[in-house]
Amino acid sequence: MLPVVVVHGGAGHIPKERSELSTSGVTSAVRAGYAVLRGGGSSMDAVVEAVTYLENNPAFNAGCGSVLNVKGDVEMDAFVMEGKTLGSGAVSAVRNIANPIQLARLVMDKTSHLCLTAEGAKQFARSMGVPEVPQESLITEYSRMRWRKNLAPDANPVECQMGKMGTVGAVAVDSQGNVACATSTGGILNKMEGRVGDTPCIGCGGYADNMVGAVSTTGHGEAIMKVVLAKHILYQMEQGQSVEAASDLGLACMKFRAAGLGGVITVDPQGHWAARFSSRQMAWAAAQKDTLHYGLYEGENFTQSIDVQH
Amino acid sequence: MLPVVVVHGGAGHIPKERSELSTSGVTSAVRAGYAVLRGGGSSMDAVVEAVTYLENNPAFNAGCGSVLNVKGDVEMDAFVMEGKTLGSGAVSAVRNIANPIQLARLVMDKTSHLCLTAEGAKQFARSMGVPEVPQESLITEYSRMRWRKNLAPDANPVECQMGKMGTVGAVAVDSQGNVACATSTGGILNKMEGRVGDTPCIGCGGYADNMVGAVSTTGHGEAIMKVVLAKHILYQMEQGQSVEAASDLGLACMKFRAAGLGGVITVDPQGHWAARFSSRQMAWAAAQKDTLHYGLYEGENFTQSIDVQH
């Protein structure tokens, strides 16, 4: 059953013309993460590799392709956590960085803190030798078009948000049974400057515990936070629920208590995994036993064999 | 049993010469919160009032009296949550504000977001007409002395942190059975610029749910985050544990899984309350049935009657 890696490209509603981009993006990312695991890499290495792929892909709302805040700027949040130590790292509202997920990992590895925000996060990046990138390199024409459209007084950014796949994330278990998660996002369309969502908030955007499993979440951030979604799902698993049932219970709680839709990917240390969503769609992919699984609409689980290079 | 309000002035080790200041600070704050409740105010009004008192008191590490970051600056985090709606508001790494807890409430009341950080939080404060205060007005001689001492290369800020009472917080239940929590802090001594701790992180620094109860936490922030302490305690209560047992189980989990010490105040909607800590001391006070309770060391529960003005 081990190793296994699962990725998502955000919960929401994908316009038909963009669905192929989403599917090819998540399958490429999961292959990259799986190659790390098959090469003996840790689950943390694998989730960071997979999310880096998604950040670099302009089709997703993370890194290049992030949505713009109300001022037209890119401010990004990211989070990583490893289940062996409960160690984690996060950055919030960070600018001018190509790969916030790698910066979140540096926060975990190189500081005694768990989260750095805004200008402090940028200064830390500089001190670690992470290159600063011009904001323009993170902005796509599509992001700018949607930003303009949502400046109209009658626009509904939350509804429109669901019109683009959002946050990206990955969970993995390596052959030692160590679980990890990683989540990265540009946040919510036309957000206020300095808005921090669920992603960098431990237990909301993700959580990893070798005694239970790992989760990465996506969807309406404020609703995810209200129910502390990732931790909620792991509590259900501690009570004996399967990865699938626990994920569904978490999403049902989010709908019932916070009127929000979203999606999650979940693994347990034995390698059971689930990709579940209450939104119309979620691009997801998983790799296990040299088989690629992927889907976009409810009930889909396409498979392909993975040709592993030795 | 209702209404009830409980406050803490931070878990840690208080130098003897400062213990009187801590006790008088928390008892004054709890009286202020109780007066709000007895006057028909909501639990949210009461916890914000109590925490405002503590922020204005230079003896505590929140508002005026906050610890300084490594550069000698004050950056503060605050969080409020109401159990009726699961609505919450937070600010992180905010500067030049006298009462971050009031700004956190404005985030809850006036925006569609749950958390604003750094410069964005400051701009929001300005847009709400919250006065900007000079940083000097938030810094005490004691804070500056401790900051200087901890710049020494062999200093241990985490250990020294426990030498001052930390984060402040309050939980309350009003006569309608609505619970609320509020937590505010200057963070950890000599922290990196932009460090965000547990306080503004929902489920860590606090949580409130009318179906279960409310918690405000204090102690080593990074350890609180590892176990998502406030939410953990409420899960124990959902499983049938008393406020006291759930609080102790949460603190034991934090010690066992994250090697951290801290303290919590907890209420349930029926008005049962607890003030528990694994650190050497925690200044706390509670008000219920016109009686004031307070303590500083384990096992203490001094009482006084409260003369309620009609």
Side-chain angles (χ1 to χ4, degrees), chain A residues 71 81 85-87 93 111-120 123-124 188 191-196 201-204 207 209 211 222 225-228 231-232 235 239 257, chain B residues 71 81 85-87 92-93 111-120 123-124 188 191-196 201-204 207 209 211 222 225-228 231-232 235 239 257:
Chain A
K71 291 190 176 169
M81 185 164 184
T85 62
L86 300 184
T111 80
S112 61
H113 301 324
L114 300 191
C115 181
L116 294 176
T117 192
E119 185 57 30
Q123 283 179 22
F124 170 66
I188 197 162
K191 62 187 179 182
M192 290 168 70
E193 186 176 348
R195 177 264 192 183
V196 179
C201 191
I202 188 166
C204 299
Y207 197 83
D209 180 350
M211 290 169 73
E222 277 70 9
M225 291 167 91
K226 275 191 178 180
V227 299
V228 193
K231 197 75 170 101
H232 183 95
Y235 276 112
Q239 305 295 316
R257 301 285 321 262
Chain B
K71 291 190 175 166
M81 184 164 185
T85 62
L86 300 184
S92 64
T111 81
S112 61
H113 301 325
L114 300 191
C115 181
L116 294 176
T117 193
E119 187 56 29
Q123 283 177 23
F124 170 66
I188 198 163
K191 62 187 179 182
M192 290 168 71
E193 186 175 347
R195 177 266 191 182
V196 179
C201 191
I202 189 167
C204 299
Y207 197 82
D209 180 351
M211 290 169 75
E222 277 71 8
M225 291 166 91
K226 276 191 178 181
V227 299
V228 193
K231 197 75 170 99
H232 184 95
Y235 276 112
Q239 304 295 316
R257 302 282 324 260

Coordinates of all heavy atoms in Angstrom, one line a residue, chain A residues 71 81 85-87 93 111-120 123-124 188 191-196 201-204 207 209 211 222 225-228 231-232 235 239 257, chain B residues 71 81 85-87 92-93 111-120 123-124 188 191-196 201-204 207 209 211 222 225-228 231-232 235 239 257:
Chain A
K71 N -6.4 45.3 -4.4 CA -5.5 46.3 -5.0 C -4.8 45.8 -6.3 O -4.0 46.5 -6.8 CB -4.5 46.7 -4.0 CG -5.0 47.5 -2.8 CD -3.9 48.1 -2.0 CE -4.5 48.9 -0.9 NZ -3.5 49.3 0.1
M81 N 3.3 20.3 6.9 CA 3.4 19.7 8.2 C 3.8 18.2 8.1 O 3.4 17.6 7.1 CB 2.0 19.8 8.9 CG 2.0 19.2 10.4 SD 0.5 19.7 11.3 CE 1.0 19.0 12.9
T85 N 6.9 14.4 13.7 CA 7.2 15.3 14.8 C 6.1 16.3 15.1 O 6.3 17.1 16.1 CB 8.5 16.1 14.4 OG1 8.1 16.9 13.2 CG2 9.6 15.3 14.0
L86 N 5.1 16.3 14.4 CA 4.1 17.4 14.4 C 4.7 18.7 14.1 O 4.1 19.8 14.4 CB 3.3 17.5 15.7 CG 2.6 16.2 16.2 CD1 1.9 16.6 17.6 CD2 1.5 15.8 15.2
G87 N 5.9 18.7 13.4 CA 6.5 20.0 13.0 C 5.8 20.6 11.8 O 5.3 19.8 11.0
A93 N 0.4 35.9 3.6 CA 0.4 37.2 2.9 C 1.8 37.5 2.4 O 2.3 38.7 2.5 CB -0.1 38.3 3.8
T111 N 13.7 27.8 11.5 CA 13.4 28.7 12.6 C 12.8 28.0 13.8 O 12.4 26.8 13.7 CB 12.4 29.8 12.1 OG1 11.0 29.2 12.2 CG2 12.7 30.3 10.8
S112 N 12.6 28.7 14.9 CA 11.9 28.1 16.0 C 10.4 28.5 16.0 O 9.7 28.2 16.9 CB 12.6 28.6 17.3 OG 12.4 30.0 17.4
H113 N 10.0 29.2 15.0 CA 8.6 29.6 14.8 C 7.9 28.7 13.9 O 8.5 27.9 13.2 CB 8.6 31.0 14.3 CG 9.3 32.0 15.2 ND1 9.3 31.9 16.6 CD2 10.0 33.1 15.0 CE1 10.0 32.9 17.1 NE2 10.4 33.7 16.2
L114 N 6.6 28.8 13.8 CA 5.8 28.0 12.9 C 5.2 28.8 11.8 O 4.8 28.3 10.8 CB 4.6 27.3 13.7 CG 5.0 26.4 14.8 CD1 3.8 25.6 15.2 CD2 6.1 25.4 14.3
C115 N 5.1 30.2 12.0 CA 4.5 31.0 10.9 C 5.1 32.3 10.9 O 5.3 33.0 11.9 CB 3.0 31.1 11.2 SG 2.1 32.1 9.9
L116 N 5.5 32.8 9.7 CA 6.0 34.1 9.4 C 5.0 34.8 8.4 O 4.6 34.2 7.5 CB 7.4 34.1 8.9 CG 8.5 33.6 9.9 CD1 9.8 33.5 9.2 CD2 8.6 34.4 11.1
T117 N 4.8 36.1 8.7 CA 3.8 36.8 7.8 C 4.4 38.0 7.1 O 5.3 38.6 7.6 CB 2.6 37.2 8.7 OG1 1.5 37.7 7.8 CG2 2.9 38.4 9.6
A118 N 3.8 38.3 5.9 CA 4.0 39.6 5.2 C 5.5 39.9 5.1 O 6.3 39.1 4.6 CB 3.2 40.7 5.9
E119 N 5.8 41.2 5.5 CA 7.2 41.7 5.3 C 8.2 40.8 6.0 O 9.3 40.6 5.5 CB 7.2 43.1 5.8 CG 8.5 43.9 5.6 CD 8.9 43.9 4.1 OE1 8.1 43.9 3.2 OE2 10.2 43.9 3.8
G120 N 7.8 40.3 7.2 CA 8.8 39.5 8.0 C 9.1 38.2 7.2 O 10.2 37.7 7.2
Q123 N 11.5 39.1 4.4 CA 12.9 39.3 4.9 C 13.5 37.9 5.2 O 14.7 37.8 5.0 CB 12.8 40.1 6.2 CG 12.6 41.6 5.9 CD 12.6 42.4 7.2 OE1 13.1 42.0 8.2 NE2 11.9 43.6 7.1
F124 N 12.7 37.0 5.8 CA 13.3 35.7 6.1 C 13.7 35.0 4.7 O 14.8 34.4 4.7 CB 12.2 34.8 6.8 CG 12.6 33.4 6.9 CD1 13.7 33.0 7.7 CD2 11.8 32.4 6.3 CE1 14.0 31.6 7.8 CE2 12.2 31.1 6.4 CZ 13.3 30.7 7.1
I188 N -8.4 34.2 -1.8 CA -9.7 34.5 -2.3 C -9.7 35.7 -3.2 O -9.0 36.7 -2.9 CB -10.8 34.5 -1.2 CG1 -12.2 34.4 -1.8 CG2 -10.7 35.8 -0.4 CD1 -13.2 34.0 -0.7
K191 N -9.7 39.8 -2.4 CA -9.6 39.9 -0.9 C -9.0 41.2 -0.5 O -8.3 41.8 -1.3 CB -8.7 38.7 -0.4 CG -7.3 38.7 -0.9 CD -6.5 37.5 -0.5 CE -5.1 37.6 -1.0 NZ -4.3 36.3 -0.7
M192 N -9.2 41.6 0.7 CA -8.6 42.8 1.3 C -7.1 42.5 1.4 O -6.7 41.4 1.6 CB -9.2 43.1 2.7 CG -10.6 43.6 2.7 SD -11.4 43.6 4.4 CE -10.5 44.9 5.1
E193 N -6.3 43.6 1.4 CA -4.9 43.5 1.6 C -4.7 42.9 3.0 O -5.3 43.3 4.0 CB -4.2 44.8 1.5 CG -2.7 44.7 1.6 CD -2.0 46.0 1.4 OE1 -2.6 47.0 1.0 OE2 -0.8 46.1 1.7
G194 N -3.8 41.9 3.1 CA -3.5 41.3 4.4 C -4.5 40.2 4.9 O -4.3 39.7 6.0
R195 N -5.5 39.9 4.0 CA -6.4 38.8 4.4 C -5.6 37.5 4.5 O -4.9 37.1 3.6 CB -7.5 38.7 3.4 CG -8.5 37.5 3.7 CD -8.1 36.2 2.9 NE -9.2 35.2 3.0 CZ -9.1 34.0 2.4 NH1 -8.0 33.7 1.7 NH2 -10.1 33.2 2.5
V196 N -5.8 36.8 5.6 CA -5.2 35.5 5.8 C -6.3 34.5 5.8 O -7.3 34.6 6.6 CB -4.3 35.4 7.1 CG1 -3.8 34.0 7.2 CG2 -3.2 36.4 7.0
C201 N -3.2 28.2 8.5 CA -3.7 28.1 9.8 C -3.7 26.6 10.2 O -4.5 25.8 9.6 CB -5.1 28.7 9.9 SG -5.7 28.9 11.5
I202 N -2.8 26.2 11.1 CA -2.7 24.7 11.4 C -4.0 24.1 11.8 O -4.7 24.7 12.6 CB -1.6 24.6 12.5 CG1 -1.2 23.1 12.7 CG2 -1.9 25.2 13.8 CD1 0.1 22.9 13.4
G203 N -4.3 23.0 11.2 CA -5.6 22.3 11.6 C -6.7 22.7 10.6 O -7.7 22.0 10.5
C204 N -6.5 23.8 9.9 CA -7.6 24.3 8.9 C -7.1 23.9 7.5 O -7.8 23.0 6.9 CB -7.7 25.8 9.0 SG -8.3 26.4 10.7
Y207 N -3.2 19.3 8.2 CA -2.7 18.7 9.5 C -2.1 17.3 9.1 O -2.6 16.6 8.3 CB -3.8 18.6 10.5 CG -3.2 18.5 11.9 CD1 -2.8 19.6 12.6 CD2 -3.1 17.2 12.5 CE1 -2.3 19.5 13.9 CE2 -2.6 17.1 13.8 CZ -2.2 18.2 14.5 OH -1.7 18.1 15.8
D209 N -0.3 13.9 11.3 CA 0.0 13.2 12.6 C 0.2 11.7 12.3 O -0.8 11.1 11.8 CB -1.2 13.5 13.5 CG -0.9 12.8 14.9 OD1 0.0 12.0 15.0 OD2 -1.7 13.1 15.8
M211 N 0.1 9.3 14.0 CA -0.8 8.4 14.8 C -2.2 8.3 14.1 O -2.9 7.5 14.5 CB -0.9 8.9 16.2 CG 0.4 8.7 17.0 SD 0.4 9.5 18.6 CE -0.8 8.4 19.5
E222 N -13.0 30.8 4.8 CA -13.6 31.2 6.1 C -14.5 30.1 6.7 O -14.5 29.9 7.9 CB -14.4 32.5 5.9 CG -13.5 33.8 5.9 CD -12.6 34.0 4.8 OE1 -12.7 33.2 3.8 OE2 -11.7 34.9 4.8
M225 N -12.2 27.4 8.1 CA -11.7 27.8 9.4 C -12.7 27.6 10.5 O -12.4 27.2 11.7 CB -11.2 29.3 9.4 CG -10.0 29.5 8.5 SD -9.7 31.2 8.1 CE -8.6 31.7 9.4
K226 N -13.9 27.9 10.2 CA -15.0 27.8 11.3 C -15.1 26.5 11.9 O -15.4 26.3 13.1 CB -16.4 28.2 10.7 CG -16.7 29.7 10.6 CD -18.1 29.9 10.3 CE -18.4 31.4 10.3 NZ -19.8 31.7 9.9
V227 N -14.8 25.4 11.1 CA -14.9 24.1 11.6 C -13.5 23.4 11.8 O -13.4 22.2 12.2 CB -15.8 23.2 10.8 CG1 -17.2 23.7 10.7 CG2 -15.3 23.0 9.4
V228 N -12.4 24.2 11.6 CA -11.1 23.7 11.7 C -11.0 22.3 11.0 O -10.8 21.2 11.6 CB -10.7 23.6 13.2 CG1 -9.1 23.3 13.4 CG2 -11.0 24.8 14.0
K231 N -8.3 19.2 11.1 CA -8.3 18.5 12.4 C -9.6 17.8 12.7 O -9.6 16.7 13.3 CB -8.0 19.6 13.4 CG -7.5 19.1 14.8 CD -6.1 18.6 14.8 CE -5.5 18.4 16.1 NZ -5.4 16.9 16.4
H232 N -10.7 18.3 12.2 CA -12.0 17.7 12.4 C -12.0 16.3 11.8 O -12.5 15.3 12.4 CB -13.1 18.6 11.8 CG -14.5 18.1 12.0 ND1 -15.2 18.5 13.1 CD2 -15.2 17.2 11.3 CE1 -16.4 17.8 13.0 NE2 -16.4 17.1 12.0
Y235 N -10.0 13.9 13.8 CA -10.7 13.4 15.0 C -11.7 12.3 14.6 O -11.8 11.4 15.4 CB -11.4 14.6 15.6 CG -10.6 15.4 16.5 CD1 -10.2 16.7 16.2 CD2 -10.1 14.9 17.7 CE1 -9.4 17.5 17.1 CE2 -9.3 15.6 18.6 CZ -8.9 16.9 18.3 OH -8.1 17.6 19.1
Q239 N -11.8 8.3 15.9 CA -13.0 7.7 16.5 C -13.3 6.4 15.6 O -14.4 5.8 15.8 CB -14.2 8.6 16.4 CG -14.0 10.0 17.1 CD -13.8 9.8 18.6 OE1 -14.5 9.0 19.2 NE2 -12.8 10.5 19.2
R257 N -22.6 23.6 9.5 CA -22.3 24.6 10.5 C -21.8 25.9 9.9 O -21.8 27.0 10.6 CB -21.2 24.1 11.5 CG -21.5 22.8 12.2 CD -22.5 22.9 13.4 NE -22.5 24.1 14.3 CZ -21.9 24.1 15.5 NH1 -21.2 23.1 15.9 NH2 -22.0 25.2 16.2
Chain B
K71 N 13.9 43.0 16.7 CA 14.3 44.3 16.3 C 13.9 45.4 17.3 O 14.2 46.6 17.1 CB 13.7 44.7 15.0 CG 14.2 43.9 13.8 CD 13.7 44.4 12.5 CE 14.4 43.7 11.3 NZ 13.7 44.0 10.1
M81 N -14.0 35.1 19.2 CA -14.9 34.1 18.5 C -16.2 34.1 19.3 O -16.2 34.1 20.6 CB -14.3 32.8 18.4 CG -15.1 31.8 17.6 SD -14.2 30.3 17.1 CE -15.4 29.4 16.1
T85 N -22.6 31.8 16.3 CA -22.5 31.8 14.8 C -21.2 31.1 14.4 O -21.0 30.9 13.2 CB -22.5 33.2 14.3 OG1 -21.3 33.9 14.8 CG2 -23.7 34.0 14.7
L86 N -20.3 30.8 15.3 CA -19.0 30.4 15.0 C -18.2 31.5 14.3 O -17.2 31.3 13.6 CB -18.9 29.1 14.1 CG -19.5 27.8 14.7 CD1 -19.3 26.6 13.7 CD2 -18.9 27.5 16.1
G87 N -18.7 32.7 14.4 CA -18.1 33.9 13.8 C -16.8 34.2 14.6 O -16.8 34.0 15.8
S92 N -3.0 39.7 13.1 CA -1.7 39.2 13.4 C -0.7 40.2 13.0 O -0.8 40.9 12.0 CB -1.5 37.8 12.7 OG -1.4 37.9 11.3
A93 N 0.4 40.2 13.8 CA 1.6 41.1 13.6 C 1.1 42.5 13.3 O 1.7 43.2 12.5 CB 2.4 40.6 12.4
T111 N -16.0 42.8 8.2 CA -15.5 42.3 7.0 C -16.0 40.9 6.7 O -16.6 40.3 7.6 CB -13.9 42.2 7.0 OG1 -13.5 40.9 7.7 CG2 -13.3 43.3 7.7
S112 N -15.8 40.4 5.5 CA -16.2 39.0 5.2 C -15.0 38.1 5.4 O -15.1 36.9 5.1 CB -16.6 38.9 3.7 OG -15.5 39.3 2.9
H113 N -13.9 38.6 6.0 CA -12.7 37.8 6.3 C -12.7 37.4 7.8 O -13.4 38.0 8.6 CB -11.5 38.5 5.8 CG -11.4 38.9 4.4 ND1 -11.9 38.0 3.4 CD2 -10.9 39.9 3.7 CE1 -11.8 38.6 2.2 NE2 -11.1 39.8 2.4
L114 N -11.7 36.5 8.1 CA -11.6 36.2 9.5 C -10.3 36.7 10.1 O -10.1 36.8 11.3 CB -11.7 34.6 9.7 CG -13.0 34.0 9.3 CD1 -13.0 32.5 9.8 CD2 -14.2 34.7 9.8
C115 N -9.3 37.0 9.2 CA -8.0 37.4 9.8 C -7.3 38.4 8.8 O -7.3 38.1 7.6 CB -7.1 36.1 9.9 SG -5.5 36.6 10.6
L116 N -6.8 39.5 9.4 CA -6.0 40.4 8.6 C -4.7 40.5 9.3 O -4.6 40.5 10.5 CB -6.7 41.8 8.6 CG -8.1 41.9 7.8 CD1 -8.7 43.2 7.9 CD2 -7.9 41.5 6.3
T117 N -3.6 40.7 8.5 CA -2.3 40.7 9.0 C -1.5 41.9 8.7 O -1.8 42.6 7.7 CB -1.5 39.4 8.5 OG1 -0.3 39.3 9.3 CG2 -1.1 39.5 7.0
A118 N -0.6 42.3 9.6 CA 0.5 43.3 9.4 C -0.1 44.6 8.8 O -1.0 45.2 9.4 CB 1.6 42.6 8.5
E119 N 0.5 45.0 7.7 CA 0.2 46.3 7.1 C -1.3 46.4 6.7 O -2.0 47.4 6.9 CB 1.1 46.6 5.9 CG 0.9 47.9 5.3 CD 1.2 49.1 6.2 OE1 1.9 48.9 7.2 OE2 0.5 50.2 6.0
G120 N -1.9 45.3 6.2 CA -3.3 45.2 5.8 C -4.2 45.4 7.0 O -5.2 46.1 6.9
Q123 N -4.1 49.1 7.9 CA -4.9 49.9 7.0 C -6.3 49.8 7.3 O -7.1 50.7 7.2 CB -4.6 49.5 5.5 CG -3.3 50.0 5.0 CD -3.0 49.5 3.6 OE1 -4.0 49.1 2.9 NE2 -1.8 49.5 3.2
F124 N -6.7 48.6 7.6 CA -8.1 48.4 8.0 C -8.5 49.2 9.3 O -9.5 49.8 9.3 CB -8.4 46.9 8.3 CG -9.7 46.5 8.9 CD1 -10.9 46.8 8.2 CD2 -9.8 46.0 10.2 CE1 -12.1 46.5 8.7 CE2 -11.0 45.7 10.7 CZ -12.2 46.0 10.0
I188 N 6.0 36.1 21.6 CA 7.1 35.6 22.3 C 8.3 36.5 22.2 O 8.5 37.2 21.2 CB 7.5 34.2 21.8 CG1 8.3 33.4 22.7 CG2 8.1 34.2 20.4 CD1 8.3 31.9 22.4
K191 N 11.1 37.5 19.3 CA 10.6 36.7 18.1 C 11.1 37.4 16.8 O 11.4 38.6 16.8 CB 9.1 36.7 18.1 CG 8.4 38.0 18.0 CD 6.9 37.9 18.2 CE 6.3 39.3 18.1 NZ 4.8 39.3 18.3
M192 N 11.2 36.6 15.8 CA 11.5 37.2 14.5 C 10.4 38.2 14.0 O 9.3 38.0 14.4 CB 11.6 36.1 13.4 CG 12.9 35.2 13.6 SD 12.8 33.7 12.6 CE 13.0 34.4 10.9
E193 N 10.8 39.1 13.2 CA 9.7 40.0 12.7 C 8.7 39.2 11.9 O 9.1 38.3 11.1 CB 10.4 41.1 11.8 CG 9.4 42.1 11.3 CD 10.0 43.2 10.5 OE1 11.3 43.4 10.5 OE2 9.3 44.0 9.9
G194 N 7.5 39.4 12.1 CA 6.4 38.7 11.3 C 6.1 37.4 11.9 O 5.2 36.7 11.3
R195 N 6.6 37.0 13.1 CA 6.3 35.7 13.7 C 4.8 35.8 14.1 O 4.4 36.7 14.8 CB 7.1 35.4 14.9 CG 6.8 34.1 15.6 CD 5.9 34.4 16.8 NE 5.7 33.2 17.7 CZ 4.9 33.2 18.8 NH1 4.2 34.2 19.1 NH2 4.8 32.1 19.5
V196 N 4.0 34.8 13.7 CA 2.6 34.7 14.2 C 2.5 33.4 15.0 O 3.0 32.3 14.6 CB 1.7 34.5 13.0 CG1 0.2 34.4 13.4 CG2 1.8 35.7 12.0
C201 N -4.8 32.1 15.6 CA -5.0 30.9 14.8 C -6.2 30.2 15.4 O -6.1 29.7 16.5 CB -3.7 30.1 14.8 SG -3.7 28.7 13.7
I202 N -7.3 30.2 14.7 CA -8.6 29.6 15.2 C -8.4 28.2 15.6 O -7.8 27.4 14.9 CB -9.7 29.8 14.1 CG1 -11.1 29.4 14.7 CG2 -9.4 29.0 12.9 CD1 -12.2 29.8 13.8
G203 N -8.9 27.8 16.8 CA -8.7 26.5 17.4 C -7.5 26.4 18.2 O -7.4 25.4 19.0
C204 N -6.5 27.3 18.0 CA -5.3 27.2 18.8 C -5.4 28.2 20.0 O -5.4 27.8 21.2 CB -4.1 27.5 18.0 SG -3.8 26.4 16.6
Y207 N -11.4 29.1 20.9 CA -12.5 28.6 20.1 C -13.7 28.7 20.9 O -13.7 28.6 22.1 CB -12.2 27.2 19.7 CG -13.1 26.7 18.5 CD1 -12.7 27.0 17.2 CD2 -14.3 26.0 18.8 CE1 -13.5 26.6 16.2 CE2 -15.1 25.6 17.7 CZ -14.7 25.9 16.4 OH -15.5 25.5 15.3
D209 N -18.0 27.6 20.7 CA -19.1 26.9 20.0 C -20.2 26.7 21.0 O -20.0 26.0 22.0 CB -18.6 25.6 19.5 CG -19.6 24.7 18.8 OD1 -20.8 25.1 18.8 OD2 -19.2 23.7 18.2
M211 N -22.6 24.8 21.1 CA -22.9 23.4 21.3 C -22.0 22.7 22.3 O -22.3 21.6 22.7 CB -22.9 22.7 20.0 CG -24.1 23.1 19.1 SD -24.0 22.4 17.4 CE -24.5 20.7 17.7
E222 N 4.0 27.8 20.0 CA 4.3 26.8 19.0 C 3.8 25.4 19.5 O 3.3 24.6 18.7 CB 5.8 26.7 18.7 CG 6.2 27.8 17.6 CD 6.2 29.3 18.1 OE1 6.0 29.5 19.3 OE2 6.3 30.2 17.3
M225 N 0.0 25.3 19.1 CA -0.4 25.1 17.7 C -0.3 23.6 17.3 O -1.1 23.1 16.6 CB 0.5 26.0 16.8 CG 0.2 27.5 17.0 SD 1.4 28.5 16.2 CE 0.7 28.7 14.6
K226 N 0.8 23.0 17.8 CA 1.0 21.6 17.4 C -0.2 20.7 17.7 O -0.4 19.7 17.0 CB 2.3 21.0 18.1 CG 3.6 21.3 17.4 CD 4.7 20.6 18.0 CE 6.0 20.9 17.2 NZ 7.2 20.1 17.7
V227 N -0.8 21.0 18.8 CA -2.0 20.1 19.2 C -3.3 20.8 19.0 O -4.3 20.3 19.4 CB -1.8 19.6 20.7 CG1 -0.5 18.8 20.8 CG2 -1.8 20.8 21.7
V228 N -3.3 22.0 18.4 CA -4.6 22.8 18.2 C -5.4 22.8 19.5 O -6.5 22.3 19.6 CB -5.3 22.2 17.0 CG1 -6.5 23.2 16.5 CG2 -4.4 22.0 15.8
K231 N -9.3 23.6 20.4 CA -10.2 22.7 19.7 C -10.1 21.3 20.3 O -11.1 20.6 20.5 CB -9.9 22.7 18.2 CG -11.0 22.1 17.4 CD -12.2 23.1 17.2 CE -13.2 22.6 16.1 NZ -14.3 21.9 16.7
H232 N -8.9 20.9 20.7 CA -8.7 19.6 21.3 C -9.5 19.5 22.6 O -10.1 18.5 22.9 CB -7.2 19.5 21.6 CG -6.8 18.1 22.2 ND1 -6.4 17.1 21.4 CD2 -6.9 17.7 23.5 CE1 -6.1 16.1 22.2 NE2 -6.4 16.4 23.4
Y235 N -13.1 19.0 21.9 CA -13.4 17.7 21.4 C -13.5 16.7 22.6 O -14.4 15.9 22.7 CB -12.3 17.1 20.5 CG -12.5 17.5 19.1 CD1 -11.6 18.4 18.5 CD2 -13.6 17.0 18.3 CE1 -11.8 18.8 17.1 CE2 -13.7 17.4 17.0 CZ -12.9 18.3 16.4 OH -13.0 18.6 15.1
Q239 N -16.9 14.5 23.9 CA -16.8 13.1 24.3 C -17.3 12.9 25.7 O -17.2 11.8 26.2 CB -15.4 12.6 24.1 CG -14.7 12.8 22.8 CD -15.4 12.0 21.7 OE1 -15.8 10.8 21.9 NE2 -15.7 12.6 20.6
R257 N 2.9 15.5 23.5 CA 3.1 15.5 22.1 C 4.0 16.6 21.6 O 4.6 16.6 20.6 CB 1.8 15.5 21.3 CG 0.8 14.4 21.6 CD 1.1 13.1 20.9 NE 1.7 13.0 19.6 CZ 1.0 12.8 18.4 NH1 -0.3 12.7 18.5 NH2 1.6 12.6 17.3

